[in-house]
Amino acid sequence: MKASVLIIEDEHDIAELIKLYLENEGFCVLHSDTAEKGLELVENGKIDIIVLDINLPGMDGFEFLQALRKEYSIPVVIVSAREDDADMILGLGIGADDYVTKPFSPKVLAARVRANLRRYMLSDEGEKSGRNIIRLSEYIVEKDAYLLKKGDTRIPISPREFEVLVYLLENPGEPRTPEEIYSAVWGNNFGDLTTVAVHIQRLRKKLEKDPSRPQLIETVHSLGYKIRKELIS
Ligand code: CA
């Protein structure tokens, strides 16, 4: 699958140049000319890495990074026209992964994007995907901490139950078969698939108002289980 790069850059010529180059390098490229729209794109879809301009109209690149880092660990490569080192250090201090200064060669930028993406994918964070906090209806799921909460109340959950829940949350609206769930959570294909049904039942007891008529984790007849997109934020 192609990796998705989000370019946040208000200068269209530069954005277009980066876009063309990265597409030729095999990336799927999205572009936003403001940080605000960039954040929406991050929230809506699966972005693997961000190329971020600092001088933007409205919210600037630093403010974008601060907002992004509250919930996401997606790698960010800063593209800056400011030669000022203090800006660079500040940028790195608040969660940028790398930077290039304008004018830059698209080849160098593409190499940096590739290197940062690779580093991220090899890290634990990458394995667990970019997002740490997921909301399901009135519940909050904190992936890194294996925490399930309703308001401030922690709901006891086993690690496997938690992983089944996260797997369904990370595939919103898409039914997953017991085979797929087993293979994703238990890491092999040789288990007893009723284990999956047992874990789903336990999750429903914890999450559903009426576990016999589940509204959150739905059964999709002859396919498996799914959580509707509208319930996830
Ligand atoms: Ca700019």
Side-chain angles (χ1 to χ4, degrees), residues 8-11 14 33 53-57 79 81 102:
I8 304 178
E9 167 67 78
D10 59 324
E11 285 160 81
I14 296 178
D33 52 8
D53 182 30
I54 290 298
N55 288 314
L56 294 162
V79 170
K102 290 177 183 172

Side-chain angles (χ1 to χ4, degrees), residues 83-193:
E83 299 260 336
D84 202 322
D85 281 348
D87 276 354
M88 292 303 177
I89 291 158
L90 175 61
L92 293 173
I94 60 172
D97 299 272
D98 206 350
Y99 64 86
V100 293
T101 40
K102 290 177 183 172
F104 55 87
S105 101
K107 192 175 171 186
V108 167
L109 178 64
R112 294 284 181 84
V113 165
R114 201 174 287 289
N116 280 281
L117 196 55
R118 193 183 309 118
R119 194 189 306 150
Y120 180 72
M121 292 302 181
L122 291 174
S123 71
D124 286 352
E125 302 244 46
E127 268 177 34
K128 286 182 267 168
S129 135
R131 199 165 162 198
N132 187 34
I133 294 174
I134 306 173
R135 288 184 183 81
L136 166 63
S137 188
E138 70 263 48
Y139 298 97
I140 296 166
V141 175
E142 286 184 33
K143 280 166 53 186
D144 289 356
Y146 275 69
L147 268 179
L148 173 66
K149 293 192 295 190
K150 187 175 183 179
D152 288 330
T153 312
R154 188 173 170 171
I155 298 166
I157 185 166
S158 80
R160 293 291 195 205
E161 287 160 15
F162 190 83
E163 284 168 22
V164 169
L165 178 61
V166 167
Y167 179 67
L168 291 174
L169 288 170
E170 289 186 334
N171 294 280
E174 297 167 21
R176 290 293 179 224
T177 64
E179 286 88 348
E180 286 170 320
I181 296 171
Y182 195 92
S183 143
V185 172
W186 281 264
N188 65 59
N189 299 311
F190 318 112
D192 178 356
L193 293 179

